[in-house]
Amino acid sequence: MFIGRERELESLNRLYQSDQFEFTVIYGRRRVGKTALISRFIQDKKAIYFMGVESNSRQNLENFSRNIMEYSVNAQAETIFSSFQAALEYVFQLSQKERLILVIDEYPYVARSSKSLASTLQLLIDQYKDSSRLMLILCGSSMSYMEDHVLAYKAPLYGRRTAQMKILPFDFEEACRCFKNFSDEEKALIYGIVGGTPQYLLQMNDRMSVEDNIKNTFLNPTSFLFEEPENLLKQEVREPALYNAIITAIATGASRMAEISSKVGEPTSVCAAYLNNLISLGLVQKETPYREKASRKSIYHIDDNMFRFWYRFIPANSSIIARGAADLAWKRIEPNLSDYMGKVFEEICRQYLWKLLLKGMSPVEFCDLGRWWGTDASTHSQTEIDIMGVQEPDTALFGECKWTNEKVNQGVLEKLIYRSSLFHYSHKYLYLFAKNGFTEGCMNTAGKAGNVFLVSYADLLRFLLS
C-alpha cells in the first residue's frame, strides 16, 4: 500500500519528462519512506537501482556492477567493472541512447568506502551532461552527510544537482489515510504515539485497540519499536549514551538549557553541542516565543512523536517490560496519555490552520505559526498562548487547544480573550479547539464576541480529510 507523496512523485515525473540530464538529491531520516517513493517512481521506467551497503569499496562495486548487468541485456551478469569510474561511465554512455534512471540509494555508505566517488561523479557529469539523458538520483538517510558532502557549497557535487528533496514524515492528514478502522480519537492517539514515519505507522494494526497496539510494540521486548530509538541513535551518533540522557531529560520535563544540563550532569557548553546535533537530525527543536529573537527564554522539545512517546514512557518502565509485565506498564502509562496528547493536539491544530490558509479560508494570512510565552505585565505572572500567527501590519490570530474529555467552558474562552489583549493588534481572531466540544455558555460568549471560531476535534478532522 503506497500512500501520500503526491507532490514528490509529481516533481520527479516532471524532471523525468525533461528528457535531458537531471540530478536529484533525495534525503531524509531513516524509515521515512525514501526508498518506497523511489520504487514507486521507477516501477514503470527504465532504471538501474543500486543500494549501497555498509561494507568496503570492493563489495559495493561488485553489487553495483551486478545491478548494471541485470539491466543491460548485452552484457554478462558476472562482469565486474574495474572501478566506479568505469561502471558509471558505462551508464552515462547507455543514457546517450535512451532515457535512463540511475538510483544510488544509501549513497553515504558507498561514498565513505570509496573516497573518490564524489569527484568521479563530478567529472562524468561535467563531461556528459550536455549529451546524456540520464536521470541520476542520489539518496541517503544520513542527513548530516548528505547536507555536508553533497548539498554544501564546498562539496564536489555542489552546483551539479537540478533538484533536491528532503523527505519528511507524514502529517496528521496523511497518517490518517493509513487506517480505515480506527475511531477518530484513536487516529489522533496513534499519531501521537508513532508520529508520521511510515515504517512506524505500518507497525500499528487498526483492527486492534490503541492499548493492544502499544502492548504489542513499545511494551514488547521482541518488537523492533522497543529498541528503535536507541538503535537509530547508534547509527547516527558516536556517543549515544549522552544523547539518550539529553533526550530523556527533555521528554521528562526539562526544557531549558540549564535544566537539561543539570539533569544530565554535563556543562551547558557540552549539552549545546549535542542539542545542535539532535536538531540537525530532526529529533529536537529549539523554540523561542513567537516573533521574539533567540533569548534566554528559548526552550527545547522533542520534535518527533515516536521519540517523544518512547523517551517519556519506556525507559522508566524498561525493567518491568523486560520481565513481560506489559499490563503493569500500561497501567502506569494510560493515566498520563491525556496530558501527553496536549502537545500533539496543538500540532494537529496548527496543521488545520495551515490547511485553512492554503485553501484561502483563513481570516488571517499569516506567514508562520508559533507558541508564545512570557510575563503578563499587569499580574507579573507567567502566561502562554498555544498558537499565534500574525498578518502585518495589524492583524493576528490566537489559538487555545484543549484535549480533555470535558467540554470546554466559557472560562477557557475568556482566558484566551484576556491573553490576546496583551497584544495590541487592531484585528484579532480567536480559535478555540476542543476534543469534545463546548458548553452552551462558551458558545454564547463566542457568538457575542463575533471574532471567535470554535472548532471541535470532529470538525477539525473532517476538514483535514476533506
Side-chain angles (χ1 to χ4, degrees):
M1 179 174 65
F2 186 85
I3 291 173
R5 308 301 187 203
E6 288 89 357
R7 283 181 299 176
E8 290 87 348
L9 279 172
E10 183 183 346
S11 296
L12 288 170
N13 280 311
R14 188 166 56 249
L15 292 165
Y16 179 79
Q17 289 163 8
S18 76
D19 206 35
Q20 62 188 20
F21 176 75
E22 301 285 358
F23 171 23
T24 303
V25 178
I26 297 177
Y27 68 113
R29 284 174 38 203
R30 299 180 194 279
R31 326 283 198 230
V32 83
K34 302 180 298 299
T35 300
L37 168 65
I38 292 170
S39 298
R40 181 74 169 196
F41 167 61
I42 67 174
Q43 67 179 3
D44 57 350
K45 301 175 179 69
K46 292 183 178 181
I48 298 170
Y49 176 85
F50 163 56
M51 176 174 281
V53 294
E54 202 166 8
S55 182
N56 60 19
S57 179
R58 179 66 183 178
Q59 181 66 63
N60 276 305
L61 179 58
E62 287 182 3
N63 293 344
F64 187 33
S65 300
R66 192 174 298 112
N67 294 142
I68 295 172
M69 293 305 103
E70 287 173 357
Y71 172 80
S72 180
V73 294
N74 297 321
Q76 296 179 354
E78 63 268 17
T79 301
I80 304 298
F81 288 96
S82 60
S83 66
F84 272 105
Q85 180 166 342
L88 287 164
E89 191 151 17
Y90 180 81
V91 174
F92 270 94
Q93 289 170 356
L94 280 177
S95 70
Q96 290 181 309
K97 304 172 185 175
E98 59 184 2
R99 186 56 160 166
L100 177 61
I101 302 168
L102 171 61
V103 178
I104 303 180
D105 203 348
E106 292 300 354
Y107 171 77
Y109 287 157
V110 191
R112 285 187 182 117
S113 67
S114 180
K115 303 297 184 185
S116 62
L117 180 58
S119 297
T120 298
L121 277 169
Q122 175 191 1
L123 173 71
L124 293 173
I125 289 170
D126 291 346
Q127 180 180 345
Y128 286 97
K129 64 182 179 182
D130 294 330
S131 61
S132 170
R133 295 163 65 193
L134 182 69
M135 182 172 180
L136 172 64
I137 298 176
L138 298 187
C139 179
S141 298
S142 175
M143 292 202 295
S144 58
Y145 188 95
M146 297 298 286
E147 289 171 348
D148 294 342
H149 297 277
V150 180
L151 299 173
Y153 177 74
K154 293 183 179 180
L157 291 171
Y158 180 81
R160 273 78 183 173
R161 72 182 185 275
T162 54
Q164 68 282 322
M165 295 182 185
K166 185 175 183 179
I167 308 301
L168 300 172
F170 287 160
D171 60 18
F172 180 55
E173 174 189 351
E174 291 170 315
C176 286
R177 288 163 60 187
C178 298
F179 306 111
K180 296 180 180 178
N181 298 308
F182 280 136
S183 68
D184 289 352
E185 182 176 343
E186 286 173 331
K187 288 174 182 176
L189 288 167
I190 291 295
Y191 182 70
I193 291 162
V194 295
T197 301
Q199 189 62 40
Y200 305 151
L201 289 165
L202 287 172
Q203 307 307 307
M204 301 291 109
N205 185 341
D206 64 359
R207 297 188 182 277
M208 296 166 51
S209 67
V210 170
E211 174 184 346
D212 286 338
N213 270 291
I214 292 174
K215 287 179 179 178
N216 283 352
T217 53
F218 293 98
L219 307 186
N220 176 5
T222 65
S223 164
F224 100 88
L225 278 180
F226 178 67
E227 294 182 337
E228 173 71 354
E230 290 182 328
N231 288 336
L232 277 181
L233 281 179
K234 289 174 184 175
Q235 295 178 46
E236 296 287 350
V237 301
R238 293 179 180 176
E239 300 176 59
L242 186 49
Y243 284 100
N244 266 317
I246 290 173
I247 299 174
T248 301
I250 298 172
T252 53
S255 58
R256 300 182 185 276
M257 178 67 77
E259 295 169 345
I260 297 167
S261 173
S262 175
K263 208 158 190 176
V264 302
E266 294 286 348
T268 56
S269 57
V270 173
C271 290
Y274 282 73
L275 281 164
N276 285 336
N277 289 338
L278 290 170
I279 290 169
S280 69
L281 290 172
L283 299 179
V284 168
Q285 186 176 68
K286 183 178 182 180
E287 190 178 14
T288 54
Y290 183 72
R291 306 216 106 190
E292 293 186 19
K293 294 181 179 179
S295 67
R296 293 181 180 179
K297 291 183 180 179
S298 297
I299 62 173
Y300 296 86
H301 65 86
I302 298 175
D303 201 32
D304 178 273
N305 286 346
M306 191 278 287
F307 270 74
R308 183 167 165 258
F309 179 85
W310 194 94
Y311 279 95
R312 170 67 179 82
F313 296 113
I314 305 309
N317 293 293
S318 59
S319 295
I320 60 174
I321 295 170
R323 286 165 174 76
D327 290 340
L328 177 57
W330 169 251
K331 285 181 181 178
R332 295 182 178 182
I333 293 170
E334 196 271 337
N336 298 293
L337 268 184
S338 182
D339 178 63
Y340 169 84
M341 282 296 297
K343 295 296 182 188
V344 177
F345 189 45
E346 287 179 23
E347 177 191 347
I348 292 171
C349 294
R350 280 192 288 270
Q351 293 179 23
Y352 167 89
L353 290 169
W354 275 110
K355 185 167 184 178
L356 209 64
L357 175 73
L358 296 175
K359 283 200 165 190
M361 299 168 64
S362 174
V364 181
E365 295 182 358
F366 52 84
C367 293
D368 55 2
L369 293 172
R371 192 160 61 92
W372 179 88
W373 62 94
T375 304
D376 180 347
S378 61
T379 63
H380 304 289
S381 61
Q382 290 295 305
T383 189
E384 65 177 61
I385 297 171
D386 291 342
I387 302 175
M388 188 173 169
V390 170
Q391 176 187 343
E392 296 292 358
D394 61 354
T395 303
L397 173 156
F398 301 88
E400 180 77 13
C401 313
K402 293 296 181 184
W403 185 265
T404 59
N405 290 327
E406 300 78 25
K407 290 186 175 183
V408 171
N409 61 33
Q410 177 181 345
V412 176
L413 176 55
E414 289 173 344
K415 190 177 292 185
L416 178 60
I417 292 170
Y418 171 75
R419 288 174 179 173
S420 71
S421 72
L422 300 174
F423 297 84
H424 303 293
Y425 292 100
S426 301
H427 307 286
K428 298 176 184 178
Y429 297 88
L430 311 184
Y431 279 82
L432 191 54
F433 298 92
K435 175 186 174 185
N436 283 321
F438 308 89
T439 64
E440 188 174 341
C442 184
M443 290 188 283
N444 289 337
T445 301
K448 292 175 183 176
N451 64 337
V452 176
F453 297 86
L454 302 181
V455 185
S456 69
Y457 171 62
D459 290 337
L460 176 154
L461 185 60
R462 196 176 300 114
F463 176 74
L464 283 178
L465 298 181
S466 63

